[in-house]
Amino acid sequence: ACGTVDADYRAKEEVEALKKANIVTINVAEVENLFCVKQLVEIVASHLALDPNEKTKEVTDFVIDALKKEFDVQVTNHAEREIQFRLNVFTKLAHTEQGLIDGFKEVISNIDISSIYKSSYQLFETTIKEHSLEKALRIYNRKRLSDRIAPIFGLKEGEYVSLVTRLLKGQRKEEIINALKIYLPQIG
């Protein structure tokens, strides 16, 4: 079996476990975030005769500001996902009731919630301080982000994605594909 999934708050350990199962992770939190990467923003801005650097800055500012507004939600969701992953490693230590109890106690003793939370907090805090669009898109798990940036380009909700889709069918196809390859894992 093989497959591709989005990063979706996955901790490095989970990404590595998935890789061992031939499941690779894209380099953004949500697949929809691919529409917001710098290279695609520049292509769309250029197509619309807008300044690509200015629009990239505006998109970056928007994404970072949105991340700040959802900071606590994003941090705790990220920590929750790691805790869930660690709980999923539960195995009984023997084929007895005590084996189940001991296995559970072992799993629980290896989960340091404060440490996980602090790590998630630092990840988001650092990303915001660095003001990096690429890093923000890697960890910001938010559906419809691409719809929310549409007004930056003078477009209505939904039009940004439609425009990228149309461009993908036209002369900018190779340029868009090459831009997206950076964020997609090599398969095979």
Side-chain angles (χ1 to χ4, degrees), residues 61-80:
D61 291 346
F62 177 85
V63 171
I64 296 297
D65 287 344
L67 186 55
K68 285 178 186 176
K69 290 176 186 169
E70 295 183 42
F71 185 82
D72 292 330
V73 170
Q74 292 293 318
V75 168
T76 55
N77 285 352
H78 186 271
E80 176 187 38

Side-chain angles (χ1 to χ4, degrees), residues 6 8 16 21 26 34 51-52 73 76 94 137 150 152 159 163-164:
D6 51 22
D8 199 27
E16 289 303 315
I26 60 175
L34 287 170
D51 181 345
V73 170
T76 55
L137 295 174
I152 292 170
E159 289 182 341
L163 175 58
V164 172

Side-chain angles (χ1 to χ4, degrees), residues 85-134:
F85 171 72
R86 290 176 185 237
L87 287 170
N88 280 332
V89 301
F90 168 76
T91 57
K92 62 187 176 289
L93 295 181
H95 294 287
T96 63
E97 180 182 3
Q98 191 59 48
L100 289 168
I101 292 168
D102 292 344
F104 183 72
K105 285 180 179 177
E106 184 175 303
V107 167
I108 296 300
S109 71
N110 289 322
I111 299 175
D112 182 348
I113 291 177
S114 291
S115 176
I116 292 169
Y117 177 80
K118 286 176 188 170
S119 177
S120 293
Y121 188 97
Q122 288 172 342
L123 174 66
F124 284 85
E125 184 179 55
T126 300
T127 299
I128 288 169
K129 283 181 181 175
E130 291 177 4
H131 208 77
S132 167
L133 179 60
E134 183 177 348

Side-chain angles (χ1 to χ4, degrees), residues 149-164:
I149 67 166
I152 292 170
F153 299 88
L155 302 170
K156 294 178 186 159
E157 190 173 305
E159 289 182 341
Y160 179 84
V161 172
S162 295
L163 175 58
V164 172

